[in-house]
Structure formats: structure tokens, C-alpha cells
Amino acid sequence: MQADTLLKATNVSLKDGTKVLLSTIDLSIKPREIVTLIGPNGAGKTTLLNILLGLRKPSSGVVTKSKNCRIGYMPQKIQLNPLLPLTVEHFLWLVDTTSLKTAITINSALARTGVVHLLKTDMSNLSGGEIQRVLLARALLREPNLLVLDEPVQGVDLKGQDQLYKLISEIRDELGCGVLMVSHDLHLVMASTDNVICLNQHICCHGHPESVSNHPAYLELFGNSINHVATYTHHHDHDHDLHGEVCGSLSGSGDQNIHSNIAESSGAHNAEGTK
């Protein structure tokens, strides 16, 4: 394994009786690299993550980690009893209290994900986007150099998805960590990743997003689905909170801010409009 590689899978396969769940998977993640697993439902994406995390043993092949590899894991979703009184602060203390020296660690993790104001809020009162940001803060508590994110924008609206992917990129830049994530959001993930691995029990294709999106194996699985979503920009004199609601005017006399959004399109790659 190369000295700068955080995690590497070599010839990893998994069988359940005669059924092949994964076949001869090779991948590696380096610091500051965002690698995204895409693929149809049942392709084995979460199964592969479980093997990489050591939660499941492969039938064959090996997974190796560098000696200094510290993994922060963000699950696809969590199931909490809505009747259980559990604040965000208490939820984060459940990670491993022996590794958290002070509450400042929790505050700084929440600050990094933009939700420090939710510290005393009950988990059952959070929106989908707020829950995902809390889960991301939970993954950051161990100061990881490898983030493993399973569907990090699960249950988040389109605008919130865009914000979360940008946040993940910012965290990568700030911490210098590697990122391995699973995603179904092809239109957003192609702009937020360095390398894409298209999985369907085996690796169909991999590489830079542009090359993958033009690969015959990718097109066979997804067609031109990415063409139906486009970005547009608009000028506005207000800002939005995490729910997308208007929360006040932008500072400055007569200033207008160019804001990037994702919009449904009838086929154009780059549509531009004003609002």
C-alpha cells in the first residue's frame, strides 16, 4: 500500500450462498480525495462500506488501513424513539465520552457543520437537513482523516443537498481528510467529487466524473438522467436559513448576491435565469 493511502480494498468479494453480492472490488482513498460510490439499488454500496469499516468480513480479498487512519462514520439514517428526551448535546455525548475531553469539542464540531445553535434542541424536533448536519458533526468528533458517509443527504431537500455537498468539500479542504461516500444524487455528486466508482456488484467503471458519465456502463445503468438537472443563478437581496426560509436582508447598500441553485430542466445542461 502506498504511504499516502488511508484505506485500500484489494480483490474484495462477498457471497451469500451461491449469490454474489460483491465481486473483485479494488479501490483506495488518499488524503484530500473525495471518492463517491454510485450505483442502482441493490448494487452492494452499503455492503461494501460495511466491509471497509470492518463490520462485515469479505468472502475473499483484503482491506488494509494506514496506521494513522482515523475514521469518522456517518450512517445513512438513524432510528430514534420520538418519546425519548434526547437533546443534540446528549446525543453527541453518546459517541464515546472517554474520547471527548470537554463540551467545546462538541460545540466546535457543531459549529463546523453550521448547527451549533441546535445544541440544546431535542433530536425529535430537527428537520431532515438539521439531522444530517448533526450526524456529520458526530462523525467529526474523532477528528478523522477519513470520512465515510453513507447517503449524507438522505431526507434533505434539493437546496439543502447542494449546501451539504459544499460543506463536505469545505471540511475536506479544512481538515485535509479523505472522503468516501455513497450517493444517489448523480446531478450533484458529479460536481462534488474527485473520483467516481460506479458499482453494480462489481466495478462497472471508475475515474473522473466527466469520464464516468460518458462511459457505456454508466449510460447503460443511468442513461442520460444527469441531463434533466441544470444549475441556474439568480440575484437576490435576502438570505435563507437551513430550511430554505427567508431570514433577512444581505448586508450592504444595494448589494445583490449571485446564488447558485439546482433546478429541474427539460434537458439543458446549463440554463441561466434571474429571479
Side-chain angles (χ1 to χ4, degrees):
M1 188 169 72
Q2 294 182 3
D4 61 344
T5 299
L6 293 167
L7 182 146
K8 183 177 182 179
T10 305
N11 204 30
V12 166
S13 297
L14 180 65
K15 292 183 178 180
D16 184 4
T18 59
K19 184 178 181 181
V20 177
L21 302 179
L22 293 170
S23 177
T24 58
I25 305 297
D26 293 317
L27 64 82
S28 63
I29 303 104
K30 297 180 179 180
R32 296 187 175 276
E33 180 181 34
I34 298 180
V35 177
T36 304
L37 290 173
I38 63 172
N41 290 332
K45 300 185 296 296
T46 296
T47 299
L48 178 56
L49 285 194
N50 288 337
I51 291 175
L52 297 177
L53 291 168
L55 302 176
R56 190 166 184 178
K57 291 185 178 181
S59 302
S60 61
V62 295
V63 175
T64 53
K65 296 187 296 183
S66 66
K67 291 182 179 180
N68 66 338
C69 183
R70 300 182 308 279
I71 295 177
Y73 173 58
M74 178 178 173
Q76 186 176 132
K77 56 184 177 181
I78 56 170
Q79 297 290 342
L80 296 175
N81 187 334
L83 300 179
L84 182 67
L86 184 67
T87 66
V88 168
E89 182 179 25
H90 290 151
F91 173 72
L92 293 182
W93 273 111
L94 292 174
V95 174
D96 183 358
T97 55
T98 61
S99 68
L100 303 177
K101 296 180 180 179
T102 67
I104 297 176
T105 305
I106 289 178
N107 289 344
S108 61
L110 289 171
R112 275 176 175 166
T113 60
V115 287
V116 68
H117 61 286
L118 298 176
L119 183 68
K120 301 297 183 180
T121 304
D122 196 289
M123 289 290 294
S124 63
N125 293 330
L126 301 182
S127 68
E130 289 169 342
I131 288 174
Q132 296 308 97
R133 286 173 180 261
V134 169
L135 289 178
L136 182 55
R138 178 179 179 271
L140 294 177
L141 284 176
R142 301 185 188 284
E143 298 184 0
N145 52 15
L146 175 59
L147 276 174
V148 179
L149 315 174
D150 192 358
E151 295 285 359
V153 297
Q154 180 85 10
V156 182
D157 64 25
L158 204 55
K159 179 180 175 61
Q161 292 175 23
D162 186 32
Q163 293 174 336
L164 271 170
Y165 280 125
K166 289 179 180 177
L167 175 60
I168 290 168
S169 294
E170 291 169 0
I171 289 172
R172 181 273 306 267
D173 293 338
E174 179 184 347
L175 300 182
C177 61
V179 179
L180 174 64
M181 64 178 167
V182 169
S183 180
H184 281 103
D185 308 292
L186 303 179
H187 55 286
L188 288 172
V189 80
M190 290 301 187
S192 307
T193 191
D194 300 309
N195 289 293
V196 175
I197 297 174
C198 185
L199 187 71
N200 194 15
Q201 280 76 56
H202 66 285
I203 294 179
C204 305
C205 53
H206 64 93
H208 188 272
E210 185 176 353
S211 63
V212 168
S213 62
N214 291 313
H215 194 282
Y218 173 91
L219 295 174
E220 183 178 352
L221 286 174
F222 301 109
N224 291 319
S225 58
I226 202 169
N227 291 354
H228 298 295
V229 183
T231 60
Y232 72 90
T233 60
H234 71 274
H235 297 268
H236 65 283
D237 57 359
H238 56 270
D239 206 352
H240 302 272
D241 60 20
L242 293 176
H243 309 284
E245 301 294 333
V246 175
C247 62
S249 299
L250 294 172
S251 61
S253 176
D255 288 348
Q256 288 186 312
N257 200 32
I258 298 178
H259 194 80
S260 297
N261 290 273
I262 302 297
E264 294 295 337
S265 171
S266 59
H269 279 282
N270 296 294
E272 181 170 319
T274 58
K275 182 177 179 180

